[in-house]
Amino acid sequence: MAAKLLAGTPRLSSLPPCSVRFISEKTFLGGDSLIGFLPAAPGQVANERFNTIISRRLSGLEEALRIKRLRELQDNTKSRKRQPLRRGKVSGRLPVPDHILKPPYVGSNKLPELSSEYQIHDDEGIAEMRAACELSARVLDFAGTMVRPSITTDEIDKAVHNMIIDAGAYPSPLGYGGFPKSVCTSVNECMCHGIPDSRQLQDGDIINIDVTVYLNGYHGDTSKTFLCGEVDERTKKLVKVTEECLERAISVCKDGAAFKKIGKRISEIAEKHGYGVVEKFVGHGVGSVFHSEPIIMHHRNEKSGFMVEGQTFTIEPILTLGTIECVTWNDGWTTLTADGLPAAQFEHTILITKTGAEILTKH
């Protein structure tokens, strides 16, 4: 379950990373803005000519990519047959037996603050994290088998709830900051935190199912975007690339690695395909606390800090076909892309080791 990057959190710029890079290249390589102010020196004419040639080539490539991206967005809008997502009827909160251990936030509708405590475990804690994450992965796989046209997200929620309870665990989203359900189900243009309801899945939909369980005092958090029926090729590619972004981001993680490498790797892949990387929702530390430091940014950033052996956190990039701007329904949770184009997300909880990262929620 993604943490929300609150207003006031330090960030490199309000501009998308691609815009920052574009401005930098135009200023630094364009020639006019710098060369016009520098006096000519012996031997400099050839360098200026070379810079000008490079500038023109870069400008031409950037313009070609811009036009290609614009046409793709126009095609996406024209070919979109599905109706905009609408809220269905939300059923009542499902009961949890008294003997199930519950997280400390249950019983309060107040959204817990992000804990400053990093989740670093000893051998016993690692064993407990593996157990919680293994369960969340099994539950997610089961939920995925239910995805088909005509099923409601409320039905998926009930099945997930029962499976978690039967395993002696608690569904972490239930009651977190007042969230009314046991799983998040985000369909099509819903970026994240979709509330299960009476809406039936349609042929051609995509749905992210986000499962977190609380088992023996530890949270295991994972999500995956599933295809429902026959999905169009553009959307299938978005889903595939989003999963690749997660896998490639995990590959850079190990003891001593900088957190900012995660966003850099994801952005490199997303930009290659012309996709947006959502900045507002981030990964987070997870363990005995649901959401804690470190904040894991999925876009290019200059976040300080390094990974530590024994540490657990989530990586959960959200990629979009269009804008990364979003709108949130008045339920305070359901967040959609502002342009109505699809978004996809994948998430794993990982454990940092000396030489790499262990995927605790591997399906």
Side-chain angles (χ1 to χ4, degrees):
M1 188 176 187
K4 185 175 181 180
L5 190 61
L6 300 176
T9 302
R11 54 193 293 185
L12 182 61
S13 169
S14 60
L15 287 173
C18 56
S19 299
V20 175
R21 186 190 63 191
F22 177 78
I23 292 169
S24 300
E25 288 175 349
K26 292 292 285 184
T27 303
F28 207 27
L29 294 173
D32 293 343
S33 58
L34 292 179
I35 294 172
F37 291 99
L38 295 176
Q44 188 178 5
V45 174
N47 287 335
E48 291 180 1
R49 184 178 301 159
F50 176 75
N51 285 342
T52 301
I53 292 171
I54 293 297
S55 169
R56 287 173 180 167
R57 288 178 179 172
L58 282 171
S59 297
L61 177 59
E62 288 163 351
E63 181 64 12
L65 289 173
R66 187 189 69 80
I67 293 172
K68 180 175 181 290
R69 179 72 183 130
L70 181 61
R71 286 175 178 167
E72 287 176 348
L73 287 175
Q74 290 172 340
D75 289 343
N76 281 333
T77 303
K78 290 176 182 178
S79 64
R80 189 178 65 172
K81 297 178 182 178
R82 67 174 68 94
Q83 294 296 312
L85 195 63
R86 294 285 183 263
R87 182 186 291 105
K89 182 179 179 181
V90 178
S91 62
R93 179 170 169 166
L94 297 172
V96 178
D98 291 340
H99 72 273
I100 299 289
L101 179 65
K102 301 169 181 65
Y105 53 78
V106 173
S108 170
N109 286 332
K110 184 179 179 181
L111 189 68
E113 292 184 5
L114 183 79
S115 171
S116 60
E117 177 186 354
Y118 283 62
Q119 308 292 292
I120 301 173
H121 310 278
D122 57 17
D123 289 345
E124 182 180 349
I126 289 173
E128 296 288 4
M129 281 299 295
R130 285 191 176 123
C133 289
E134 188 273 335
L135 175 59
S136 65
R138 279 196 291 115
V139 173
L140 180 60
D141 284 344
F142 169 69
T145 66
M146 299 183 68
V147 174
R148 63 181 183 275
S150 80
I151 195 168
T152 67
T153 51
D154 192 55
E155 290 176 278
I156 294 174
D157 176 74
K158 288 178 181 176
V160 165
H161 179 90
N162 290 333
M163 184 174 179
I164 294 172
I165 296 303
D166 289 346
Y170 183 89
S172 302
L174 185 63
Y176 181 83
F179 193 82
K181 291 294 183 177
S182 299
V183 67
C184 297
T185 52
S186 303
V187 179
N188 297 333
E189 68 266 35
C190 185
M191 288 181 174
C192 60
H193 300 163
I195 297 175
D197 60 23
S198 61
R199 180 190 181 276
Q200 292 183 325
L201 293 182
Q202 307 295 314
D203 184 55
D205 282 349
I206 59 173
I207 176 174
N208 176 270
I209 302 176
D210 191 334
V211 173
T212 312
V213 307
Y214 185 66
L215 178 66
N216 298 327
Y218 290 81
H219 297 272
D221 193 359
T222 185
S223 85
K224 180 177 181 178
T225 298
F226 297 92
L227 308 180
C228 181
E230 294 297 322
V231 176
D232 66 82
E233 291 301 321
R234 285 191 182 90
T235 306
K236 282 200 289 189
K237 182 181 176 183
L238 173 69
V239 172
K240 180 180 178 181
V241 172
T242 306
E243 185 172 24
E244 180 188 353
C245 283
L246 173 59
E247 293 169 350
R248 296 285 292 276
I250 293 172
S251 73
V252 306
C253 296
K254 64 178 180 178
D255 181 53
F259 288 115
K260 65 183 180 181
K261 295 179 80 172
I262 293 172
K264 180 175 184 292
R265 180 58 59 88
I266 291 170
S267 295
E268 287 171 347
I269 299 167
E271 290 166 6
K272 175 183 173 183
H273 295 278
Y275 298 143
V277 180
V278 173
E279 300 180 14
K280 191 170 185 177
F281 297 96
V282 295
H284 52 88
V286 64
S288 58
V289 178
F290 194 174
H291 293 105
S292 77
E293 290 283 358
I295 289 173
I296 305 299
M297 298 181 182
H298 304 114
H299 60 286
R300 294 182 188 274
N301 66 89
E302 292 299 324
K303 178 177 173 58
S304 60
F306 300 88
M307 303 170 204
V308 178
E309 184 179 8
Q311 184 176 44
T312 51
F313 56 83
T314 70
I315 305 177
E316 42 190 305
I318 304 173
L319 268 59
T320 64
L321 275 179
T323 183
I324 62 172
E325 299 304 316
C326 61
V327 292
T328 301
W329 285 354
N330 60 13
D331 60 26
W333 290 101
T334 310
T335 302
L336 315 180
T337 58
D339 58 9
L341 292 176
Q345 182 184 30
F346 284 81
E347 174 187 11
H348 276 309
T349 296
I350 65 171
L351 167 70
I352 298 302
T353 68
K354 206 69 173 171
T355 58
E358 178 184 343
I359 302 175
L360 297 181
T361 49
K362 194 165 186 177
H363 307 140

